[in-house]
Amino acid sequence: MTMTRSCANSAHGDIQFYAGDNQPEPMQVVGNTGFVGIGTSTPSQRLQVNGNVLANNVMLPSDARLKENIHGIERSRELLRLLNGVHSTWKKDAQAKFGTTAGADVGLLAQDVQKVLPEAVITLPDGTLTVVYDKVVPLLVEALKAQDEKLRDLEQTNARLEAMEKRLEQLERH
């Protein structure tokens, strides 16, 4: 494995690293933005990895002491019904641009998510829409809780109906 360091654009202070013998993988720190790219020499985010990321944990600040204007998610079941999980494959230009795989994939369409939960969609500088999947999780939690409440109501109604049937049977016997 060879590794070289070069300054591709000294005017901005960019630093490029290449690792690999046959098909070098670029890693770049863009000097004027501080953006870091792995698998891309043109990162558009603070850290852009074109390919898979393996991590034990991804931590996101969520402490209530850091937040204000806190209120529950309403209509979660209705909102969830507007989302569609899809199977798809990535176009070749997306594979090259974002390091997506050629095989089958599963996910949500950002355009659908944007209509339902706009805070879970980020638009990249080139106009590409991305889904922040961890922001979809609270919608799922609330929809599951609402579904559970409906199920409990149905179970109580069913128990009442069964009790009424027994009473009716007893009355019919007499």
Side-chain angles (χ1 to χ4, degrees), residues 21-162:
D21 291 329
N22 297 334
Q23 293 181 338
E25 286 292 324
M27 294 183 287
Q28 178 155 336
V29 178
V30 180
N32 61 349
T33 63
F35 289 0
V36 175
I38 299 173
T40 178
S41 58
T42 57
S44 63
Q45 301 296 306
R46 182 75 48 210
L47 173 63
Q48 181 174 337
V49 179
N50 286 5
N52 295 332
V53 175
L54 175 63
N56 290 334
N57 293 296
V58 176
M59 297 179 290
L60 304 168
S62 192
D63 191 313
R65 297 172 295 180
L66 303 174
K67 299 178 179 188
E68 58 187 10
N69 302 320
I70 299 170
H71 57 280
I73 298 173
E74 297 180 12
R75 301 178 24 251
S76 57
R77 291 175 59 220
E78 292 82 9
L79 294 173
L80 200 56
R81 280 192 203 107
L82 298 173
L83 296 179
N84 297 298
V86 298
H87 288 278
S88 63
T89 56
W90 292 98
K91 294 179 178 180
K92 290 201 182 300
D93 59 335
Q95 292 174 38
K97 185 174 182 178
F98 297 109
T100 57
T101 59
D105 203 355
V106 64
L108 300 169
L109 300 176
Q111 286 79 355
D112 292 344
V113 176
Q114 191 174 43
K115 294 173 190 169
V116 173
L117 201 62
E119 50 273 69
V121 175
I122 293 175
T123 304
L124 298 179
D126 69 356
T128 301
L129 299 180
T130 63
V131 175
V132 184
Y133 279 88
D134 63 275
K135 292 191 180 295
V136 178
V137 172
L139 183 65
L140 297 172
V141 168
E142 292 305 312
L144 186 58
K145 287 169 43 181
Q147 192 75 10
D148 187 55
E149 189 176 316
K150 291 278 187 192
L151 180 60
R152 268 193 254 133
D153 290 346
L154 287 172
E155 288 171 345
Q156 289 173 355
T157 300
N158 190 42
R160 284 194 306 271
L161 286 173
E162 287 175 358

Side-chain angles (χ1 to χ4, degrees), residues 8-22:
N9 185 346
S10 59
H12 296 292
D14 294 356
I15 301 171
Q16 291 182 330
F17 301 89
Y18 291 93
D21 291 329
N22 297 334

